[in-house]
Amino acid sequence: MSLLNVARKLLKDNAPVTESTPDWKAERKFSHPERYTKNYAKYVATGGLVEPEGDAARFANGLDSHNGDMARFYSLCLVSDLVAKQKVPGHFAELGVWQGNTAEVLAAFARRQQRTLYLLDTFEGFPDADLDLNEKHLSGIFKDTSLEAVKNRVGEEGTVFIKGYFPETAAQLPDDGQYAIVHIDCDLYVPMIAALEYFYPRMAPGGFILMHDYGSLCWDGAEKAVDEFFADKPEGVMPLPDLCSTVVMRKNKKAYYR
């Protein structure tokens, strides 16, 4: 075999995975954390609060993009487990609720930990004021929701729904509020930077901010906001391997353990 043919064979056998090989995703199976599978009895016996099957159904219910995004689901589970284990104080909050898939999971976790969950959204889609010149084509997206529909889905026990334009609606959050988990999923630069400016100083030591869509290459504003905000902060962000490349920050100015 000539060197050229050898090279061609090596390139073929070791070709990078691309969209031209449509079956590559189907050929791979997602690994589920052992604490929620073979070690689940031990997990429950030591105080674990996640209910894998039921909580996964809440997360995926009615939304195809969530159905296979188990990395995102398990990230929420593991972060919730850690703040419970280490007794990190504070509420949970989500900015960017849409139809309530992640909100329903966060509400379940908050109730089991006897915390309050604050859900903030216009419940009417993107406000035009948040769309820059390169985003005007996004007007009208995510309008297929309503406050009442999300309330019916998530339930109101231990959950506060705040409808309107953020950061103006921040006035409806508790003045002395402290947060253990904040999930930011508002896609655009303006609300993302406003959320970080508001919630970052109110995070409990050891608390987590999860920022969705950072690395998806679909929402440039989200990436820009995160990069700008954390450029001068002592914490950095850690990428997660979920569908839309969430990044997570842990407030770590001082270690928090009990």
Side-chain angles (χ1 to χ4, degrees):
M1 183 181 292
S2 69
L3 288 177
L4 179 59
N5 287 334
V6 169
R8 286 172 175 167
K9 185 176 188 304
L10 287 172
L11 285 172
K12 180 179 179 181
D13 291 346
N14 296 285
V17 171
T18 69
E19 290 302 327
S20 64
T21 55
D23 295 333
W24 72 269
K25 293 180 182 178
E27 293 169 1
R28 288 157 173 79
K29 294 182 179 180
F30 190 91
S31 295
H32 303 270
E34 291 182 344
R35 63 173 44 214
Y36 306 132
T37 54
K38 70 177 185 179
N39 293 328
Y40 187 64
K42 180 178 180 181
Y43 169 78
V44 173
T46 55
L49 297 172
V50 172
E51 300 170 4
E53 290 189 12
D55 292 334
R58 292 182 178 93
F59 175 77
N61 184 28
L63 195 59
D64 289 342
S65 62
H66 277 210
N67 192 43
D69 197 5
M70 298 305 292
R72 186 181 183 198
F73 168 69
Y74 283 130
S75 296
L76 294 172
C77 294
L78 293 168
V79 165
S80 177
D81 277 349
L82 199 53
V83 298
K85 175 184 177 181
Q86 296 179 352
K87 297 181 173 61
V88 177
H91 310 299
F92 292 175
E94 180 175 66
L95 178 64
V97 179
W98 190 34
Q99 295 179 348
N101 288 68
T102 53
E104 189 175 1
V105 174
L106 289 170
F109 294 164
R111 288 164 190 151
R112 293 169 201 163
Q113 296 185 31
Q114 299 182 328
R115 303 177 191 259
T116 299
L117 170 65
Y118 293 89
L119 297 176
L120 301 99
D121 201 300
T122 65
F123 298 99
E124 295 178 352
F126 288 150
D128 287 341
D130 286 347
L131 301 174
D132 66 22
L133 291 177
N134 296 320
E135 296 171 330
K136 295 301 183 183
H137 64 287
L138 299 173
S139 180
I141 289 182
F142 300 127
K143 284 190 173 182
D144 52 341
T145 186
S146 71
L147 177 58
E148 289 307 312
V150 176
K151 279 186 177 182
N152 290 336
R153 175 176 188 163
V154 174
E156 298 188 53
E157 178 188 351
T159 305
V160 178
F161 296 83
I162 301 177
K163 177 178 166 61
Y165 182 77
F166 190 87
E168 294 172 6
T169 53
Q172 299 179 52
L173 292 166
D175 291 338
D176 59 349
Q178 189 177 42
Y179 299 88
I181 295 176
V182 172
H183 180 239
I184 305 175
D185 186 8
C186 44
D187 305 317
L188 307 176
Y189 174 85
V190 172
M192 179 72 81
I193 200 76
L196 290 170
E197 289 172 349
Y198 180 85
F199 284 109
Y200 174 83
R202 293 169 172 82
M203 297 304 297
F208 292 88
I209 303 179
L210 296 101
M211 294 149 276
H212 194 233
D213 293 308
Y214 171 83
S216 71
L217 302 182
C218 294
W219 305 99
D220 295 342
E223 182 177 0
K224 178 183 176 184
V226 172
D227 287 347
E228 286 184 7
F229 185 82
F230 286 102
D232 63 351
K233 302 297 185 295
E235 300 89 353
V237 296
M238 176 72 182
L240 303 178
D242 61 3
L243 182 66
C244 291
S245 302
T246 297
V247 289
V248 61
M249 177 228 73
R250 190 171 200 197
K251 194 72 176 287
N252 259 342
K253 287 190 175 179
K254 59 181 180 180
Y256 187 90
Y257 296 100
R258 284 185 180 176

